Amino acid sequence: MPVTAVVGLQWGDEGKGKLTDALCPGAHCVVRCQGGSNAGHTIVVGDVTYKLRIMPSGIVQDGPLAVVGSGVVVDPDVLLQEMDTLRASGIDVERVRLSQRAHVILPHHRALDGAAEDAKGANAIGTTRQGIGPAYVDRANRTGIRVEDLLNLDRLRERLEPALKLANHTLTTYYHSDPVSLDDVVTAASAWGKALAPYITDTEQLIHASLGRGERVVLEGAQGALLDVDHGSYPYVTSSSTVTGGLLAGAGVGPSSVDSVVGIAKAYTTRVGGGPFPSEVDGVAHDHLATRGHEFGTVTGRPRRCGWLDIAALRHATQLTGATSIVLTKLDVLSGLSSIPLFEPKEGSENLTPLAGWDDDLTRVAHYADLPRQARDYVETVRSLVGIPISHVSVGPERTQLLTVS
Ligand code: IMP
């Protein structure tokens, strides 16, 4: 059972990229399964920082095939630019495999996403405006364009024409925005098809062949369980299934192949965009977390909302994902707080349990046992409240700043 799934247990930005990278040595392939360029996964190797939006994070490691699965919605311009940037950094992008069944984000999807957000005013979801929602709408509506259509422009034009007519009607009459030209999209699609053709394949077959040989496959989730379209804080969610079941569907793999589900959670909580956030803080506490944690969105640059670790939400996320272990990231950001509240809604009493803080800088600590006692107490308290083993803690962005909990 050689599949490891990496899932976010909060509202995204938990550090899945770093963990996926760490799990990839020895893997035959690493798969992005859902979402698209709304994601921003960061991997730091020495002086080089890689910021990936569509590519699976394992591409930074030598060896694994980098698969973009059928559940992903692909913006070809973003993908091609990402491949160029990686190539320029000396990364072998010939290992990229793009599912023929993945859906394509087209200019009218981005236009509709932005126009819908503008029209909602104060009720906006706060999407990344990358066209993710409208592309998934077309997928569910059976009017979407798939990657394989980029290789057959007659078919693409035939399928796109009615869908674009509808989108343009909405854009012009409802949102009073500019229409998108069919000819322009077909011209762009022709260039995308030529550039991406060498990478387009049946990725499910590739993954099954790998599993058949007993090779390890890593599934990389994007966003987090609390942004799941079904189980998140609807309607303030993304439009894909971000829990482990969604990853499996997006990769085309059955659950019996999975032997571990690594849930990633920050040692505190952040959220970008609108929606409920029970443990949110402001003032000095917010400034501490935001400044030390560099809490700005990777894709949009928006400041992230910050709060304490929400134990009830974390426990729920482990149930939704079936996490078999947790990696607690950014523990170093909590240094310098005299006390660190853990948030757990309790009927009729205080929601916050304060734990003792610590002053020591954790970023240079190389072994878990060398962390200050209060930091280990914090990790142990989280473990016992959530009821899932914590396998590692991360104390900085570098690959090496990952401590095995002993
Ligand atoms: P969308 O996925 O762009 O439609 O945005 C829907 C919601 O999900 C918004 O609140 C976004 O800020 C949030 N979101 C989407 N992708 C990410 C991510 O990778 N990290 C954190 N939040 C995200």
Side-chain angles (χ1 to χ4, degrees), residues 11-13 16 38-41 113 125-133 222-224 227 236-239 271-274 299 302 304:
W11 280 291
D13 309 315
K16 295 175 293 293
N38 49 350
H41 294 170
D113 196 357
I125 292 167
T127 75
T128 57
R129 296 175 179 247
Q130 297 296 310
I132 306 293
Q223 294 80 48
L227 283 171
Y236 297 97
V237 293
T238 192
S239 32
R271 174 163 205 172
V272 205
V299 175
R302 289 178 291 179
R304 294 182 184 139

Short mmCIF file of all heavy atoms in Angstrom, two decimals, residues 11-13 16 38-41 113 125-133 222-224 227 236-239 271-274 299 302 304, ligand 1:
data_model
loop_
_atom_site.label_atom_id
_atom_site.label_comp_id
_atom_site.label_asym_id
_atom_site.label_seq_id
_atom_site.Cartn_x
_atom_site.Cartn_y
_atom_site.Cartn_z
N TRP A 11 -6.95 26.20 7.04
CA TRP A 11 -7.48 26.95 5.89
C TRP A 11 -6.38 27.18 4.84
O TRP A 11 -6.30 28.24 4.24
CB TRP A 11 -8.07 28.28 6.35
CG TRP A 11 -9.44 28.15 6.94
CD1 TRP A 11 -10.59 27.85 6.27
CD2 TRP A 11 -9.82 28.36 8.31
NE1 TRP A 11 -11.66 27.85 7.14
CE2 TRP A 11 -11.22 28.16 8.38
CE3 TRP A 11 -9.13 28.68 9.46
CZ2 TRP A 11 -11.94 28.28 9.57
CZ3 TRP A 11 -9.83 28.80 10.64
CH2 TRP A 11 -11.22 28.60 10.69
N GLY A 12 -5.51 26.18 4.64
CA GLY A 12 -4.44 26.32 3.65
C GLY A 12 -3.22 26.98 4.26
O GLY A 12 -3.21 27.40 5.43
N ASP A 13 -2.14 27.01 3.47
CA ASP A 13 -0.88 27.67 3.85
C ASP A 13 -0.25 27.04 5.09
O ASP A 13 0.45 27.71 5.86
CB ASP A 13 -1.10 29.18 4.11
CG ASP A 13 -1.83 29.84 2.96
OD1 ASP A 13 -1.45 29.58 1.81
OD2 ASP A 13 -2.78 30.61 3.20
N LYS A 16 2.40 22.52 3.35
CA LYS A 16 2.33 21.24 2.65
C LYS A 16 3.48 21.08 1.66
O LYS A 16 3.97 19.97 1.46
CB LYS A 16 1.00 21.10 1.91
CG LYS A 16 -0.21 21.06 2.83
CD LYS A 16 -1.50 21.04 2.05
CE LYS A 16 -1.78 22.32 1.29
NZ LYS A 16 -2.04 23.50 2.13
N ASN A 38 -4.62 28.75 -7.52
CA ASN A 38 -4.96 29.43 -6.26
C ASN A 38 -3.97 29.02 -5.16
O ASN A 38 -3.83 29.71 -4.16
CB ASN A 38 -6.40 29.10 -5.82
CG ASN A 38 -6.73 27.62 -5.85
OD1 ASN A 38 -5.97 26.81 -6.36
ND2 ASN A 38 -7.89 27.26 -5.33
N ALA A 39 -3.27 27.90 -5.36
CA ALA A 39 -2.31 27.42 -4.36
C ALA A 39 -0.98 28.13 -4.52
O ALA A 39 -0.63 28.60 -5.60
CB ALA A 39 -2.12 25.91 -4.52
N GLY A 40 -0.23 28.19 -3.43
CA GLY A 40 1.13 28.72 -3.48
C GLY A 40 1.96 27.91 -2.51
O GLY A 40 1.83 28.06 -1.30
N HIS A 41 2.75 26.98 -3.03
CA HIS A 41 3.54 26.10 -2.17
C HIS A 41 5.01 26.52 -2.24
O HIS A 41 5.56 26.70 -3.31
CB HIS A 41 3.35 24.63 -2.61
CG HIS A 41 1.95 24.14 -2.39
ND1 HIS A 41 1.48 22.95 -2.85
CD2 HIS A 41 0.92 24.71 -1.71
CE1 HIS A 41 0.21 22.80 -2.49
NE2 HIS A 41 -0.15 23.86 -1.80
N ASP A 113 -14.71 35.14 -12.29
CA ASP A 113 -14.32 35.06 -10.87
C ASP A 113 -14.20 36.48 -10.30
O ASP A 113 -14.79 36.82 -9.27
CB ASP A 113 -12.98 34.30 -10.76
CG ASP A 113 -12.68 33.82 -9.36
OD1 ASP A 113 -13.45 34.12 -8.44
OD2 ASP A 113 -11.64 33.15 -9.17
N ILE A 125 -16.33 36.36 -1.19
CA ILE A 125 -15.67 35.21 -0.56
C ILE A 125 -14.20 35.54 -0.30
O ILE A 125 -13.61 35.03 0.64
CB ILE A 125 -15.80 33.98 -1.50
CG1 ILE A 125 -17.26 33.54 -1.56
CG2 ILE A 125 -14.91 32.82 -1.05
CD1 ILE A 125 -17.56 32.55 -2.67
N GLY A 126 -13.67 36.44 -1.12
CA GLY A 126 -12.23 36.71 -1.02
C GLY A 126 -11.44 35.66 -1.79
O GLY A 126 -10.40 35.21 -1.34
N THR A 127 -11.94 35.27 -2.96
CA THR A 127 -11.23 34.25 -3.75
C THR A 127 -9.89 34.81 -4.24
O THR A 127 -9.65 36.02 -4.17
CB THR A 127 -12.04 33.80 -5.00
OG1 THR A 127 -11.98 34.83 -5.99
CG2 THR A 127 -13.49 33.48 -4.65
N THR A 128 -9.09 33.93 -4.79
CA THR A 128 -7.81 34.36 -5.34
C THR A 128 -7.97 34.94 -6.75
O THR A 128 -7.00 35.36 -7.35
CB THR A 128 -6.84 33.16 -5.41
OG1 THR A 128 -7.46 32.13 -6.20
CG2 THR A 128 -6.53 32.62 -4.03
N ARG A 129 -9.19 34.94 -7.28
CA ARG A 129 -9.52 35.51 -8.60
C ARG A 129 -8.74 34.82 -9.73
O ARG A 129 -8.46 35.43 -10.75
CB ARG A 129 -9.26 37.02 -8.63
CG ARG A 129 -10.16 37.77 -7.68
CD ARG A 129 -9.82 39.25 -7.61
NE ARG A 129 -10.75 39.92 -6.70
CZ ARG A 129 -11.64 40.83 -7.10
NH1 ARG A 129 -11.69 41.21 -8.36
NH2 ARG A 129 -12.47 41.38 -6.22
N GLN A 130 -8.41 33.58 -9.53
CA GLN A 130 -7.67 32.83 -10.55
C GLN A 130 -8.59 32.08 -11.50
O GLN A 130 -8.14 31.34 -12.37
CB GLN A 130 -6.73 31.82 -9.86
CG GLN A 130 -5.65 32.46 -9.00
CD GLN A 130 -4.71 33.28 -9.84
OE1 GLN A 130 -4.19 32.83 -10.85
NE2 GLN A 130 -4.49 34.53 -9.43
N GLY A 131 -9.91 32.19 -11.29
CA GLY A 131 -10.86 31.50 -12.18
C GLY A 131 -11.16 30.07 -11.75
O GLY A 131 -11.75 29.29 -12.51
N ILE A 132 -10.77 29.74 -10.52
CA ILE A 132 -10.91 28.35 -10.06
C ILE A 132 -12.39 27.94 -10.02
O ILE A 132 -12.77 26.92 -10.60
CB ILE A 132 -10.28 28.20 -8.65
CG1 ILE A 132 -8.83 28.70 -8.63
CG2 ILE A 132 -10.42 26.77 -8.14
CD1 ILE A 132 -7.86 27.90 -9.42
N GLY A 133 -13.22 28.73 -9.34
CA GLY A 133 -14.64 28.39 -9.19
C GLY A 133 -15.33 28.24 -10.55
O GLY A 133 -15.93 27.19 -10.83
N ALA A 222 -3.86 20.49 -1.90
CA ALA A 222 -3.75 21.96 -1.93
C ALA A 222 -4.90 22.51 -1.09
O ALA A 222 -5.89 21.84 -0.84
CB ALA A 222 -3.87 22.46 -3.37
N GLN A 223 -4.75 23.75 -0.62
CA GLN A 223 -5.67 24.36 0.35
C GLN A 223 -5.74 23.47 1.60
O GLN A 223 -4.80 22.75 1.86
CB GLN A 223 -7.06 24.59 -0.27
CG GLN A 223 -7.10 25.63 -1.39
CD GLN A 223 -6.64 25.10 -2.74
OE1 GLN A 223 -7.06 24.05 -3.17
NE2 GLN A 223 -5.78 25.84 -3.41
N GLY A 224 -6.84 23.50 2.32
CA GLY A 224 -6.90 22.72 3.56
C GLY A 224 -8.31 22.21 3.81
O GLY A 224 -9.27 22.67 3.17
N LEU A 227 -11.32 24.43 4.03
CA LEU A 227 -11.75 25.12 2.81
C LEU A 227 -12.45 24.15 1.87
O LEU A 227 -12.78 24.50 0.72
CB LEU A 227 -10.54 25.74 2.09
CG LEU A 227 -9.96 27.02 2.66
CD1 LEU A 227 -8.64 27.37 1.95
CD2 LEU A 227 -10.94 28.19 2.51
N TYR A 236 -17.76 30.11 2.28
CA TYR A 236 -16.41 30.68 2.29
C TYR A 236 -15.39 29.55 2.15
O TYR A 236 -14.64 29.25 3.10
CB TYR A 236 -16.18 31.51 3.56
CG TYR A 236 -17.10 32.70 3.62
CD1 TYR A 236 -18.29 32.66 4.35
CD2 TYR A 236 -16.82 33.86 2.90
CE1 TYR A 236 -19.16 33.73 4.37
CE2 TYR A 236 -17.68 34.94 2.92
CZ TYR A 236 -18.84 34.88 3.66
OH TYR A 236 -19.69 35.95 3.66
N VAL A 237 -15.42 28.92 1.01
CA VAL A 237 -14.60 27.73 0.77
C VAL A 237 -14.04 27.82 -0.64
O VAL A 237 -14.45 28.69 -1.42
CB VAL A 237 -15.44 26.44 0.90
CG1 VAL A 237 -15.90 26.22 2.33
CG2 VAL A 237 -16.65 26.47 -0.04
N THR A 238 -13.14 26.92 -0.98
CA THR A 238 -12.72 26.81 -2.38
C THR A 238 -13.70 25.87 -3.08
O THR A 238 -14.66 25.39 -2.47
CB THR A 238 -11.26 26.35 -2.48
OG1 THR A 238 -10.83 26.53 -3.84
CG2 THR A 238 -11.07 24.89 -2.07
N SER A 239 -13.48 25.60 -4.37
CA SER A 239 -14.52 24.84 -5.08
C SER A 239 -14.12 23.40 -5.37
O SER A 239 -14.77 22.74 -6.16
CB SER A 239 -14.92 25.57 -6.36
OG SER A 239 -13.84 26.27 -6.87
N ARG A 271 -5.87 32.40 8.04
CA ARG A 271 -6.92 32.29 7.01
C ARG A 271 -6.80 33.49 6.07
O ARG A 271 -6.60 34.62 6.55
CB ARG A 271 -8.28 32.26 7.70
CG ARG A 271 -9.44 32.28 6.77
CD ARG A 271 -10.76 31.87 7.34
NE ARG A 271 -11.52 31.41 6.17
CZ ARG A 271 -12.69 30.81 6.18
NH1 ARG A 271 -13.28 30.58 7.30
NH2 ARG A 271 -13.26 30.43 5.07
N VAL A 272 -6.92 33.28 4.77
CA VAL A 272 -6.97 34.40 3.81
C VAL A 272 -8.39 34.45 3.27
O VAL A 272 -8.98 33.42 2.99
CB VAL A 272 -6.05 34.18 2.58
CG1 VAL A 272 -5.67 35.51 1.97
CG2 VAL A 272 -4.84 33.37 2.91
N GLY A 273 -8.91 35.66 3.10
CA GLY A 273 -10.27 35.78 2.57
C GLY A 273 -11.30 35.80 3.69
O GLY A 273 -10.96 35.78 4.88
N GLY A 274 -12.58 35.81 3.29
CA GLY A 274 -13.67 35.96 4.26
C GLY A 274 -14.02 34.65 4.93
O GLY A 274 -13.42 33.61 4.67
N VAL A 299 -0.07 33.86 -3.35
CA VAL A 299 -0.60 34.15 -4.68
C VAL A 299 -1.05 35.60 -4.79
O VAL A 299 -0.75 36.29 -5.76
CB VAL A 299 -1.79 33.21 -5.01
CG1 VAL A 299 -2.43 33.58 -6.34
CG2 VAL A 299 -1.33 31.76 -5.02
N ARG A 302 -2.12 39.20 -0.17
CA ARG A 302 -3.01 39.77 0.88
C ARG A 302 -2.52 39.39 2.26
O ARG A 302 -2.04 38.26 2.47
CB ARG A 302 -4.43 39.20 0.72
CG ARG A 302 -5.17 39.68 -0.47
CD ARG A 302 -6.54 39.04 -0.57
NE ARG A 302 -6.47 37.62 -0.88
CZ ARG A 302 -7.52 36.82 -1.00
NH1 ARG A 302 -8.72 37.30 -0.80
NH2 ARG A 302 -7.38 35.55 -1.30
N ARG A 304 -2.66 37.79 5.76
CA ARG A 304 -3.49 36.69 6.28
C ARG A 304 -4.05 37.06 7.64
O ARG A 304 -3.38 37.72 8.43
CB ARG A 304 -2.66 35.41 6.41
CG ARG A 304 -2.19 34.88 5.07
CD ARG A 304 -1.41 33.58 5.23
NE ARG A 304 -0.89 33.15 3.94
CZ ARG A 304 0.32 32.65 3.73
NH1 ARG A 304 1.17 32.49 4.74
NH2 ARG A 304 0.70 32.28 2.53
P1 IMP B 1 -10.58 30.28 -4.62
O1 IMP B 1 -10.01 28.93 -4.34
O2 IMP B 1 -9.64 31.18 -5.37
O3 IMP B 1 -11.95 30.20 -5.26
O4 IMP B 1 -10.81 31.01 -3.19
C1 IMP B 1 -11.77 30.55 -2.25
C2 IMP B 1 -11.24 30.71 -0.83
O5 IMP B 1 -10.18 29.80 -0.63
C3 IMP B 1 -10.68 32.09 -0.50
O6 IMP B 1 -10.92 32.37 0.87
C4 IMP B 1 -9.19 31.92 -0.74
O7 IMP B 1 -8.42 32.85 0.01
C5 IMP B 1 -9.00 30.51 -0.22
N1 IMP B 1 -7.85 29.82 -0.82
C6 IMP B 1 -7.77 29.27 -2.04
N2 IMP B 1 -6.58 28.71 -2.23
C7 IMP B 1 -5.88 28.90 -1.10
C8 IMP B 1 -4.58 28.51 -0.67
O8 IMP B 1 -3.82 27.83 -1.39
N3 IMP B 1 -4.22 28.90 0.58
C9 IMP B 1 -5.06 29.58 1.41
N4 IMP B 1 -6.28 29.96 1.05
C10 IMP B 1 -6.70 29.61 -0.18
#
